[in-house]
Amino acid sequence: MNPQIRSKQIEQIVVTAEQMRNIEERIFSAGIPVAALMEKVAGKITQRIKNLFLEKSITPEHKIGILVGPGHNGGDGLVVARELYFMGYNIVIYSPFLKRKELTQTHYKYVQSLGINLSSNIKELEQCDVLIDGLFGFGLEREITGEIAEDINIINHWNKFVISIDLSSGIHTDTGEILGTAIRANITLCLGLWKPAFLQDTGLDYIGRAELIDFDIPLMDINAIIGESPILNRITQNTAINSLPLPRPANHHKYKNGHLLIIAGSKQYTGAAILAGLGARASGVGMVSIAVPNSIKPLLSLQLPEALIIGCPETENGAILELPENLDLSRYQTIVCGPGLTLEAQAIMERIFTANCAIILDADALNILAQLNPVFTLSSRKFPTIITPHLGEFKRLFPELIALEKNQIKLAKQAAELTGAIIVLKGARTCVATANQVWINPDSTPALGRGGSGDVLTGLLGGLLPPVILAKKPIELIVNTAVWWHSQAGILAARERTELGVDAYTLTQYLILALTQSLKTIN
């Protein structure tokens, strides 16, 4: 297989701790010795660490502390220690465990014979410039307590530059939960395949920047364990861009690119409707209609002159009272409903639920839905339905799920199974779930944590759907594209401005630029 194609496939795959163990067992059963694989993996880790040292101007004069656990993660750490020692680095090994796995103990004896400084006293690491964490890899389930927990807390208090091997020690592989305490790493080198902990909000502060160390696991062994269509996946640049309806045929026109209706805004939240419209503008959808209260119609026309602005009767407080009777919902391939509506717009929701097209519910549409029977209402629809809650909105929609489960990946999938809807659970690692699969966006920025950025995502997603629906293609992957594209625009804007926050209007201005840059890199 072409190495580039394989690399793109590997970047997409996510495995649980049990799946990773089973994949490794297949490799060992096929004939590769555990010791040989450890040497290969540790060699790749060492090379990456050496390159990181060059980036950080870490020289052999600096002291490197290596934390060694009792298992094979500790064995990896010992091989790395040995190789860095041979490169001339000043190494101190912290190993507080008396019992070790056989192979790890063998490596321990060898580094001991080399005269490398070995200690069970955490204070020996205090003068180190860099720490390499090889205490616990994937599969840890018990809570860290006692002296080990105290030592980890001391390390975190020192605030040194830390590189973790496989997973920051103390994080649950499948949930990202902190097991009592955990090493706070600056960089974590995930080994072989991505694990769920890297894709959930819980442990992100402890993982730091994540990189994958691919050690050439055969795809046949991976597929034998997780199948050809795995349940859990990462959204990658490749999968996101490949889902776009590009290039467009030469004879395309606005009607072939679809028609989107956005129902949004109120006198209090005019900006939400504008931002959703600007997000849709970037998508390339053929036509956009926006239904808003009559009083704010001129403001929308000024900001979005190409859109068809539909004025609606409004309440005393300036919310949409009802949609015009002559508004034919069958004209649209997708309807977006929610941004800036307020809870007064409840009457329009019943009409939206009967629409014979895809609908996207966000913001106040979700708050209104929560007052109804969300599971029954969503599961009763015969056409595609997408909801885009953040965790607070999700709790209001599905309190019974929250009471039983904290894992956001499982939460999103369970909600999708119950409702038949596509769930876009927004967060630091936004999760897109259907009843059969879950996709997680691995890249984002805290700069998106400002009001209005969700309205932009909703509009962008709404605009991407109509041409895909007209082409009679599955819509799940284009949802992933919207989530990825939105985050890339935020990352680019934060890089050029500030991570203190990118306002939503500025975000809309970076959407096209972010996609253009990504298309150049993938081509």
Side-chain angles (χ1 to χ4, degrees), residues 249-267:
N251 65 348
H252 251 221
H253 49 72
K254 62 184 178 183
Y255 296 109
K256 287 189 176 181
N257 292 329
H259 196 166
L260 166 69
L261 172 64
I262 298 174
I263 304 170
S266 60
K267 191 178 293 184

Side-chain angles (χ1 to χ4, degrees), residues 151-411:
D151 288 353
I152 287 175
N153 292 335
I154 289 170
I155 290 167
N156 290 339
H157 179 72
W158 286 339
N159 198 29
K160 294 182 181 295
F161 188 82
V162 178
I163 301 170
S164 282
I165 296 174
D166 199 23
L167 190 60
S168 179
S169 294
I171 296 181
H172 193 288
T173 309
D174 296 342
T175 67
E177 179 187 358
I178 307 304
L179 298 170
T181 189
I183 295 284
R184 195 178 293 273
N186 298 88
I187 296 174
T188 300
L189 304 177
C190 179
L191 303 183
L193 297 166
W194 290 109
K195 318 301 188 305
F198 291 88
L199 301 167
Q200 300 186 73
D201 295 3
T202 322
L204 291 185
D205 286 343
Y206 292 82
I207 288 171
R209 190 177 88 213
E211 298 182 13
L212 184 68
I213 302 293
D214 180 7
F215 56 84
D216 306 313
I217 300 174
L219 283 172
M220 63 179 181
D221 290 316
I222 299 170
N223 293 337
I225 300 301
I226 67 173
E228 298 272 340
S229 298
I231 292 174
L232 193 56
N233 307 270
R234 289 171 84 248
I235 302 172
T236 66
Q237 175 177 278
N238 188 64
T239 58
I241 289 179
N242 285 347
S243 300
L244 286 168
L246 294 174
R248 285 180 169 174
N251 65 348
H252 251 221
H253 49 72
K254 62 184 178 183
Y255 296 109
K256 287 189 176 181
N257 292 329
H259 196 166
L260 166 69
L261 172 64
I262 298 174
I263 304 170
S266 60
K267 191 178 293 184
Q268 185 179 3
Y269 300 113
T270 304
I274 294 171
L275 292 168
L278 291 172
R281 170 192 278 175
S283 72
V285 67
M287 299 176 67
V288 179
S289 293
I290 308 178
V292 297
N294 275 316
S295 62
I296 67 170
K297 182 178 176 181
L299 296 173
L300 270 292
S301 296
L302 186 64
Q303 291 288 337
L304 295 151
E306 76 280 12
L308 305 173
I309 310 302
I310 302 166
C312 302
E314 58 189 89
T315 68
E316 291 182 3
N317 295 320
I320 296 176
L321 177 64
E322 60 184 0
L323 297 175
E325 289 185 9
N326 62 350
L327 182 62
D328 181 6
L329 299 184
S330 66
R331 297 174 58 198
Y332 311 102
Q333 287 77 50
T334 304
I335 298 174
V336 162
C337 185
L341 276 184
T342 81
L343 294 178
E344 288 191 84
Q346 184 166 343
I348 68 172
M349 291 292 287
E350 292 182 10
R351 188 170 171 189
I352 298 305
F353 285 130
T354 62
N356 296 333
C357 66
I359 64 172
I360 301 169
L361 305 179
D362 183 36
D364 284 321
L366 298 176
N367 293 327
I368 293 170
L369 177 62
Q371 297 175 354
L372 307 174
N373 183 330
V375 173
F376 174 78
T377 304
L378 293 172
S379 60
S380 298
R381 272 188 50 81
K382 297 179 181 179
F383 292 85
T385 306
I386 302 167
I387 64 172
T388 61
H390 54 60
L391 188 57
E393 291 163 337
F394 189 95
K395 288 178 180 178
R396 291 190 285 275
L397 288 166
F398 308 107
E400 68 285 355
L401 294 182
I402 290 287
L404 299 173
E405 182 63 64
K406 293 182 180 179
N407 184 318
Q408 70 188 54
I409 295 172
K410 291 183 179 179
L411 282 172

